[in-house]
Amino acid sequence: MPRFLTLDDIDVRGKRVLLRADLNVPVKDGKVTDATRIERLAPTIEELLGRGAAVVVMSHFGRPKGKPGPELSLRPVIAPLRQALGGREIAFAEDCIGEPARRVAAALEPGEVALLENLRFHSGEEANSPDFAKALAELGQVYVDDAFSAAHRAHASIAALAHLLPAAAGRLMEAELAALTAALEHPARPLMALIGGAKVSTKLDLLRFIIGKVDVLAIGGAMANTMLFAQGVGIGRSLCEREMREQARLILDLAAERGCRVILPEDAVIAAELSRTAPAPTVAIDAVGGDMMILDIGPATVARIAAALDEARTLVWNGPLGAFETPPFDRGTVAVATKVAELTRAGRLRSVAGGGDTVAALAAAGVTDALSYVSTAGGAFLEWLEGRELPGVAALARAARQD
Ligand code: 3PG
Ligand code: MG
């Protein structure tokens, strides 16, 4: 893990801290529907306030492409942020730079919080513009980045800004990096990866990287269909990236070469259509009818994965193992999630999961709190699983070296 400063290394008393958060949360009809990211951010704000800082929170929201618009205002976030901070008042600046932002920031006393309007209302944010970063830097004396889930974006508030002010990681950033690094860099072994989701094509780099790291790789979801297809298994009308056949083969060959054991489905729950009411028999994987679709892993596959989990000491999980949004095709994912939760609770497994769908599946299975660590990140979690350097993390490390 690259070295960077944390809140332990900086003095914030009497200072205005510019805090990069990821408040890109789901909103429906003007209401935040999942406040997880806000709740996970709150301890960093509380700590800064408790140490005598004033905190100016900034974030992107959605993808407004450099143009302001009320639909992508951060205003809906004020109420849940306030709630997460025990009812504290939150000042709001209707622009993240210029006069409105300066006025709100200048009026803040130690112990007070302000939120700036959506950073992406300015094209300079995504362009990593030095001028835009300078305009942000004017608003505070110290920079804290707590937006691990946006660390894969080389944007001004994440990259350029980190070099204009003393910079440190917030507690959420620190926790994410500690958990992910512990799982992949120095795990207790055997280390197992559970990778699901729809497409092999979006996870090729991830599979290639992870094969060099893990002892066991279990693949589920529609991406397993592509793997099975590559092995010549008849998969009927299942979702499959037929053009990825060669790539899938290469992945399996690479795993064999590296001594990484691969678990693919040996049975499946199939149906003629993706619906809650269609007959959904379980069949052996070589008995999928030509007009049927594989929609979940079957109980024999669940048992095989469970046996591997029994042996494993560390697990990294990304992607659901079936079409979990449509019961009964959630059963495989729920069964495996329940097993992971049991082993983790018993202290036999360290389990780390991330990615939007994965987190939703864990929540549906009711086991989110039982895992060792659930990341707030989607895209950043995937890029980390690809072994890529995240610009936000790199910027903090570089800033620490300049210090
Ligand atoms: C996310 O939710 O994945 C992050 O906030 C990054 O958002 P983006 O994909 O729009 O850059
Ligand atoms: Mg994203």
Side-chain angles (χ1 to χ4, degrees):
M1 172 155 70
R3 286 159 55 83
F4 50 83
L5 303 185
T6 72
L7 299 192
D8 296 327
D9 304 305
I10 55 170
D11 179 19
V12 298
R13 182 158 307 280
K15 294 185 180 153
R16 215 149 54 214
V17 173
L18 264 176
L19 176 63
R20 180 44 159 110
D22 186 352
L23 300 174
N24 190 28
V25 293
V27 170
K28 197 161 180 253
D29 303 326
K31 288 246 177 340
V32 172
T33 54
D34 177 1
T36 306
R37 282 183 176 173
I38 298 171
E39 286 152 11
R40 300 272 294 271
L41 166 76
T44 296
I45 300 179
E46 293 285 9
E47 181 171 345
L48 289 167
L49 297 174
R51 286 167 54 182
V55 179
V56 178
V57 182
M58 56 186 170
S59 176
H60 71 286
F61 181 62
R63 294 178 176 170
K65 303 244 153 57
K67 292 202 180 52
E71 341 64 70
L72 290 178
S73 168
L74 269 170
R75 279 182 194 277
V77 166
I78 298 174
L81 180 58
R82 186 174 168 177
Q83 195 183 343
L85 295 173
R88 220 180 263 285
E89 280 305 319
I90 295 173
F92 185 73
E94 72 240 22
D95 195 352
C96 61
I97 55 169
E99 176 49 27
R102 277 197 298 269
R103 192 170 4 93
V104 168
L108 278 192
E109 299 284 343
E112 292 182 346
V113 186
L115 173 65
L116 306 180
E117 183 56 287
N118 195 346
L119 293 162
R120 288 189 186 167
F121 284 174
H122 292 265
S123 58
E125 167 64 355
E126 294 191 57
N128 198 17
S129 144
D131 290 338
F132 181 69
K134 251 184 236 147
L136 291 171
E138 272 181 41
L139 304 173
Q141 290 100 37
V142 176
Y143 170 74
V144 172
D145 184 0
D146 220 15
F148 173 74
S149 48
H152 56 320
R153 306 295 183 212
H155 296 173
S157 65
I158 293 166
L161 181 56
H163 307 299
L164 300 180
L165 295 172
R171 294 302 182 202
L172 178 56
M173 173 72 89
E174 206 187 333
E176 295 267 10
L177 289 171
L180 305 193
T181 307
L184 220 47
E185 299 310 320
H186 14 258
R189 290 185 182 269
L191 167 60
M192 176 165 168
L194 198 50
I195 306 295
K199 293 182 175 166
V200 169
S201 54
T202 58
K203 294 193 182 171
L204 260 185
D205 289 343
L206 183 162
L207 290 170
R208 266 192 224 111
F209 178 71
I210 209 137
I211 279 168
K213 295 265 176 189
V214 306
D215 305 298
V216 185
L217 167 63
I219 303 177
M223 62 188 285
N225 302 342
T226 303
M227 294 291 176
L228 293 165
F229 175 72
Q231 290 184 323
V233 177
I235 54 165
R237 291 193 303 110
S238 306
L239 207 57
C240 173
E241 293 170 287
R242 286 166 200 274
E243 70 289 358
M244 296 301 291
R245 181 183 211 146
E246 254 332 283
Q247 303 272 21
R249 269 241 63 91
L250 288 173
I251 290 289
L252 295 171
D253 290 347
L254 182 65
E257 229 169 77
R258 293 287 176 91
C260 167
R261 186 179 148 220
V262 177
I263 301 176
L264 284 172
E266 57 191 75
D267 62 348
V269 182
I270 59 172
E273 55 176 314
L274 177 58
S275 103
R276 286 168 189 254
T277 49
T282 297
V283 297
I285 207 65
D286 56 4
V288 178
D291 56 347
M292 299 297 267
M293 291 187 291
I294 300 172
L295 293 170
D296 196 11
I297 55 173
T301 308
V302 169
R304 180 164 302 248
I305 291 175
L309 286 168
D310 274 328
E311 302 285 307
R313 304 272 312 279
T314 309
L315 173 73
V316 175
W317 185 355
N318 173 264
L321 307 177
F324 84 100
E325 305 91 338
T326 312
F329 310 110
D330 58 340
R331 278 195 199 141
T333 304
V334 170
V336 171
T338 306
K339 177 75 182 177
V340 169
E342 273 167 26
L343 290 170
T344 308
R345 279 200 196 99
R348 290 173 53 195
L349 182 70
R350 183 171 174 76
S351 51
V352 175
D357 284 350
T358 318
V359 174
L362 292 172
V367 300
T368 311
D369 294 340
L371 269 69
S372 309
Y373 194 81
V374 178
S375 177
T376 57
F381 186 83
L382 284 181
E383 290 201 17
W384 171 78
L385 276 184
E386 290 167 0
R388 288 166 55 163
E389 179 182 81
L390 303 179
V393 180
L396 286 175
R398 217 174 99 199
R401 286 198 298 274
Q402 285 167 353
D403 217 48

